[in-house]
């Protein structure tokens, strides 16, 4: 079940040994054997496997994976090549284009961001088919809170994009050397209340450049 790169495993091995994670593993073993669960087991930790801890420049916090067939990749907000964009991703691309005056690539696969150091982290890493939040409060939040805490204590400045009140609840784990960007969630229900026009993507790149890092190509 733990298919994770060594650098992250080393940082999180104490968590993996705790009772809550052992209970979570037992729960997931039953779920994967008796129900349809997303993403595939080998993709659960994709967000971490694409971005080693020392390469994280930006953290975008999501909630739980997409729960329709074929969508979930283990990266928040991302869908595989040739899939229709979910509504939140439509709005993310719209804000990027308005903010940076660029045209985003015609793909919802955000692996291209992850490879540049953008950690696309859902706080719950699995979900039952067709049942949003079905794996909420099973233990994932303890692990992902620890990940955010570890990154929040790093000396090297990181940009944290916290969209919506749920993501913003993790702000106390983030120390002051980092840039915390807050806005409403990009879903159609809230994007017009301040996500559009937040200019997080240009602010992020300005901060990275100011701190001697290469900006993200958000296309």
């Amino acid at each position: 079940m733990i298919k994770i790169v060594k650098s992250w495993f080393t940082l999180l091995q104490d968590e993996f040994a705790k009772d809550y994670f052992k209970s979570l593993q037992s729960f997931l073993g039953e779920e994967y054997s008796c129900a349809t669960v997303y993403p595939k087991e080998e993709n659960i930790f994709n967000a971490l496997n694409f971005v080693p801890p020392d390469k994280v420049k930006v953290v975008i916090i999501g909630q739980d994976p997409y729960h329709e067939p074929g969508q979930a990749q283990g990266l928040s907000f991302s869908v595989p090549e040739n899939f229709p964009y979910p509504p939140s991703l439509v709005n993310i691309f719209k804000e990027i284009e308005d903010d940076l005056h660029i045209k985003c690539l015609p793909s919802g696969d955000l692996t291209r961001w992850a490879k540049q150091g953008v950690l696309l982290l859902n706080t719950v890493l699995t979900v039952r088919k067709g049942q949003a939040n079905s794996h909420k409060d099973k233990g994932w939040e303890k692990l992902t809170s620890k990940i955010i805490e570890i990154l929040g204590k790093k000396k090297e400045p990181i940009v944290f994009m916290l969209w919506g009140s749920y993501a913003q609840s993790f702000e106390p784990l983030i120390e002051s050397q980092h840039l915390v960007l807050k806005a409403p969630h990009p879903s159609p229900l809230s994007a017009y209340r301040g996500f559009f026009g937040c200019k997080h993507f240009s602010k992020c790149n300005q901060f990275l450049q100011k701190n001697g890092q290469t900006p993200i190509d958000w296309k």
Side-chain angles (χ1 to χ4, degrees), residues 62-115:
Q63 202 150 354
D64 68 339
Y66 296 125
H67 53 264
E68 296 303 326
Q71 288 183 306
Q73 294 179 290
L75 304 172
S76 62
F77 297 104
S78 180
V79 290
E81 190 85 25
N82 299 321
F83 261 73
Y85 304 161
S88 291
L89 188 56
V90 171
N91 289 338
I92 289 169
F93 285 161
K94 184 177 188 300
E95 175 59 23
I96 288 171
E97 293 181 354
D98 289 347
D99 181 12
L100 300 176
H101 309 294
I102 60 174
K103 182 68 179 172
C104 290
L105 296 176
S107 171
D109 186 346
L110 304 183
T111 304
R112 61 188 186 271
W113 297 356
K115 289 178 177 177

Side-chain angles (χ1 to χ4, degrees), residues 119-180:
L119 183 66
L120 296 159
L121 183 68
N122 282 317
T123 56
V124 175
L125 300 186
T126 54
V127 68
R128 264 198 185 204
K129 177 183 176 180
Q131 299 179 38
N133 291 317
S134 49
H135 288 182
K136 185 173 179 280
D137 298 328
K138 301 297 183 183
W140 278 128
E141 294 92 339
K142 291 182 180 179
L143 180 70
T144 50
S145 292
K146 187 64 178 180
I147 293 166
I148 295 165
E149 180 185 340
I150 288 169
L151 294 172
K153 290 180 176 177
K154 282 189 70 174
K155 290 181 181 178
E156 299 79 13
I158 294 171
V159 180
F160 289 82
M161 295 186 182
L162 307 183
W163 300 334
S165 58
Y166 177 75
Q168 289 163 20
S169 71
F170 294 91
E171 186 178 7
L173 301 175
I174 303 166
E175 294 183 355
S176 60
Q177 66 270 30
H178 306 299
L179 176 63
V180 176

